[in-house]
């Protein structure tokens, strides 16, 4: 069993009169995490939103019926809760009127679940995101030395749990993920019916990793209007497939503040989308893979440690650029990523003059561990 970093946080937050909402992409291990935690619990009931009987239970939720159904239960776990009708009202009734029950809920679709819960359960929930496995979690599992040795492999195949534990089937597993699970929640919505367009959009974004993304340019490639492209990207972000970084701007007139970059939570997903699982040594996009790997691992680190920071990239109109910036407690940190440790690299003087108090660092395969583990 690979221990998840969120496990300790969830345990700490139990029994505080809050419903615990665990969000994350399909197949990242939400159910497995709660199964592991619940081994030590008595009086636990599991429900799943995919079951018709449970959906009927929530169609017309009442306190009386819930009290009868959940009598004697201390821990109530509802898996894939976005499938349930009236889920916000139902969970509110449980939280408000069955106070001896610790409610734990999972969902793979923030646009279906999180928004509805926030409306009904304001102030009554703690919300978390479970990402694919991280470098830190795997280093704890089988030593830092082993995980460093596997870096080139992870950059290609990523950290989805099934890929990690069944490396002999990694290609098949990734293909299955991108074909059957990646955007399944989106396709259940009436407003999203163009599967081929979503695939084209994801592929176009995969080729753009590390570059600024123009919604107008992407719309021409995919064959959708700009507004629909933006809507789909937001939905893919809320399905935990990808995430956006905005441009940082404070001092200079020629800084680009309205631009954005898009990264994938997992390198393996990105590579499977473009059908390229070739080794690092023979690829033309290794720099982009390195950048996506580092930024996604940094995202996992921040989420797994409940650190709230502002994240950006930085670029000027004359194309001076820094890959990644963090702003935390009014302190600014700037990072440039280089796969080739022997390449001369520096932080542009335009940035250091504009932000003389900012910490700066070049991240390479020789010093990356600290960046993604502390």
């Amino acid at each position: 069993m690979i221990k998840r970093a969120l496990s300790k946080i969830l345990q700490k937050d139990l029994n505080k009169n809050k419903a615990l909402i665990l969000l994350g992409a399909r197949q990242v291990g939400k159910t497995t995490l709660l199964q592991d935690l619940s081994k030590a619990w008595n009086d636990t009931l599991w429900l799943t939103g995919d079951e018709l009987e449970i959906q009927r239970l929530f169609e017309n939720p009442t306190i009386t019926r819930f009290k009868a159904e959940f009598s004697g239960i201390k821990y109530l776990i509802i898996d894939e809760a976005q499938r349930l009708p009236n889920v916000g009202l139902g969970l509110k009734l449980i939280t408000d009127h069955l106070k001896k029950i610790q409610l734990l809920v999972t969902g793979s679709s923030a646009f279906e679940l999180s928004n509805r819960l926030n409306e009904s359960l304001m102030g009554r929930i703690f919300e978390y995101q479970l990402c694919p496995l991280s470098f830190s979690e795997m280093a704890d599992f089988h030593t830092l030395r082993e995980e460093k040795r596997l870096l080139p492999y992870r950059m290609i195949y990523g950290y989805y749990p099934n890929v990690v534990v069944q490396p002999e089937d990694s290609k098949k597993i990734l293909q299955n993920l991108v074909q059957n699970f990646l955007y399944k929640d989106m396709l259940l919505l009436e407003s999203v019916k163009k599967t081929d367009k979503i695939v084209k959009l994801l592929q176009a974004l995969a080729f753009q990793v590390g570059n600024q993304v123009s919604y107008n340019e992407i719309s021409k490639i995919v064959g959708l209007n700009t507004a629909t492209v933006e809507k789909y990207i937001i939905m893919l972000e809320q399905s935990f497939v990808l995430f956006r970084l905005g441009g940082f701007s404070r001092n200079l007139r020629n800084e680009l503040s309205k631009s954005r970059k898009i990264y994938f939570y997992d390198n393996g997903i990105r590579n499977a989308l473009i059908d390229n699982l070739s080794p690092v040594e023979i690829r033309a996009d290794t720099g982009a893979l390195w950048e996506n790997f580092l930024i996604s691992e940094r995202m996992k680190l921040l989420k797994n440690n409940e650190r709230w920071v502002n994240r950006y990239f930085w670029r000027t109109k004359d194309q001076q650029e820094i890959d990644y910036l963090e702003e935390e407690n009014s302190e600014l940190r700037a990072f440039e990523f280089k796969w080739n440790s022997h390449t001369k690299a520096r932080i542009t003087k335009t940035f250091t003059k504009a932000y003389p108090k900012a910490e700066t660092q070049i991240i390479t395969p020789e010093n990356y561990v600290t960046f993604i583990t502390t």
Side-chain angles (χ1 to χ4, degrees):
M1 181 67 190
I2 302 169
K3 286 292 181 183
R4 305 306 303 266
L6 274 181
S7 179
K8 291 182 179 179
I9 295 173
L10 289 170
Q11 286 179 314
K12 171 178 66 69
D13 288 341
L14 287 171
N15 304 312
K16 292 183 178 179
N17 296 318
K18 302 285 187 181
L20 307 188
I21 312 298
L22 182 60
L23 301 173
R26 289 178 175 272
Q27 308 282 309
V28 295
K30 300 184 297 295
T31 303
T32 302
L33 170 56
L34 292 185
Q35 286 173 338
D36 184 52
L37 277 178
S38 64
K39 287 177 183 178
W41 302 344
N42 295 319
D43 304 320
T44 301
L45 176 64
W46 276 82
L47 306 177
T48 175
D50 290 322
E51 292 184 9
L52 184 59
E53 181 182 351
I54 306 306
Q55 292 174 5
R56 288 173 177 166
L57 176 63
F58 276 79
E59 281 180 354
N60 295 294
T62 66
I63 300 169
T64 302
R65 189 172 182 190
F66 281 162
K67 284 182 176 180
E69 291 283 348
F70 305 140
S71 175
I73 298 301
K74 186 175 181 181
Y75 296 95
L76 176 60
I77 301 172
I78 304 178
D79 210 7
E80 298 297 344
Q82 74 271 7
R83 295 282 173 268
L84 298 176
N86 300 312
V87 62
L89 174 59
L91 299 186
K92 181 178 183 295
L93 292 176
I94 295 170
T95 303
D96 286 351
H97 299 281
L98 302 176
K99 295 185 180 296
K100 292 184 179 180
I101 292 179
Q102 172 62 70
L103 181 61
L104 300 100
V105 176
T106 79
S108 57
S109 169
F111 56 83
E112 282 192 274
L113 180 60
S114 184
N115 293 335
R116 285 190 282 163
L117 294 187
N118 287 334
E119 293 174 4
S120 302
L121 293 169
M122 186 69 68
R124 299 175 176 88
I125 66 173
F126 287 148
E127 189 172 294
Y128 318 84
Q129 181 185 343
L130 186 66
C131 299
L133 288 163
S134 69
F135 179 96
S136 293
E137 288 168 328
M138 290 308 301
D140 288 341
F141 177 68
H142 63 188
T143 76
L144 176 60
R145 176 178 294 184
E146 177 65 7
E147 197 55 30
K148 289 173 69 176
R149 184 187 70 81
L150 288 169
L151 174 63
Y153 180 85
R154 303 297 192 211
M155 286 175 61
I156 301 303
Y157 291 97
Y159 277 109
Y160 264 74
N162 285 339
V163 171
V164 169
V165 300
Q166 301 176 57
E168 69 279 3
D169 294 322
S170 53
K171 291 183 179 180
K172 186 187 300 183
I173 292 167
L174 284 172
Q175 289 169 352
N176 190 45
L177 279 168
V178 299
Q179 290 171 7
N180 299 316
F181 290 104
L182 198 61
Y183 38 83
K184 181 178 180 180
D185 293 303
M186 287 181 62
L187 296 178
L188 294 174
L189 300 180
E190 292 182 5
S191 60
V192 180
K193 295 298 182 184
K194 300 177 180 178
T195 308
D196 59 326
K197 299 296 185 182
I198 296 175
V199 174
K200 284 185 178 180
L201 173 60
L202 282 164
Q203 291 172 336
L205 295 172
F207 281 116
Q208 290 285 328
V209 163
N211 297 315
Q212 290 183 82
V213 172
S214 165
Y215 289 171
N216 185 52
E217 180 182 333
I218 293 292
S219 70
K220 294 176 182 177
I221 295 172
V222 177
L224 294 169
N225 63 54
T226 304
T228 302
V229 166
E230 184 172 10
K231 181 182 76 171
Y232 282 6
I233 287 174
I234 291 171
M235 294 175 74
L236 287 165
E237 187 169 30
Q238 293 177 324
S239 295
F240 312 106
V241 177
L242 48 79
F243 58 92
R244 294 170 292 172
L245 284 187
F248 179 84
S249 178
R250 292 291 189 276
N251 293 335
L252 303 180
R253 286 186 177 182
N254 67 340
E255 289 175 329
L256 299 177
S257 60
K258 295 183 179 180
S259 53
R260 82 282 293 171
K261 289 186 176 184
I262 292 176
Y263 297 92
F264 286 79
Y265 276 106
D266 187 76
N267 272 36
I269 293 296
R270 183 266 179 184
N271 292 328
L273 282 166
I274 62 174
D275 198 24
N276 186 354
L277 296 169
S278 302
V280 168
E281 294 79 12
I282 61 173
R283 298 179 70 109
D285 61 351
T286 304
L289 286 182
W290 180 233
E291 186 172 330
N292 196 93
F293 174 83
L294 289 173
I295 292 179
S296 63
E297 285 301 307
R298 185 69 178 180
M299 283 279 291
K300 296 175 194 175
L301 176 71
L302 296 173
K303 289 180 180 296
N304 288 340
N305 289 277
E306 295 190 308
R307 287 174 58 187
W308 318 114
V309 306
N310 296 317
R311 299 166 292 104
Y312 311 93
F313 72 96
W314 180 85
R315 190 170 185 176
T316 63
K317 293 178 181 178
D318 53 3
Q319 300 187 0
Q320 297 186 71
E321 186 172 357
I322 293 174
D323 291 326
Y324 180 70
L325 273 72
E326 283 183 358
E327 189 177 37
E328 184 176 21
N329 299 323
S330 300
E331 295 181 356
L332 192 61
R333 296 184 291 269
F335 302 93
E336 189 71 14
F337 306 133
K338 297 296 179 185
W339 173 248
N340 188 342
S341 304
H342 303 293
T343 300
K344 289 184 179 180
R346 62 180 179 84
I347 302 292
T348 173
K349 290 183 179 178
T350 303
F351 179 84
T352 55
K353 287 180 179 179
Y355 304 99
K357 294 184 179 180
E359 297 179 20
T360 61
Q361 190 176 8
I362 309 296
I363 306 296
T364 73
E366 294 181 355
N367 68 351
Y368 72 98
V369 172
T370 299
F371 176 71
I372 60 177
T373 59
T374 60

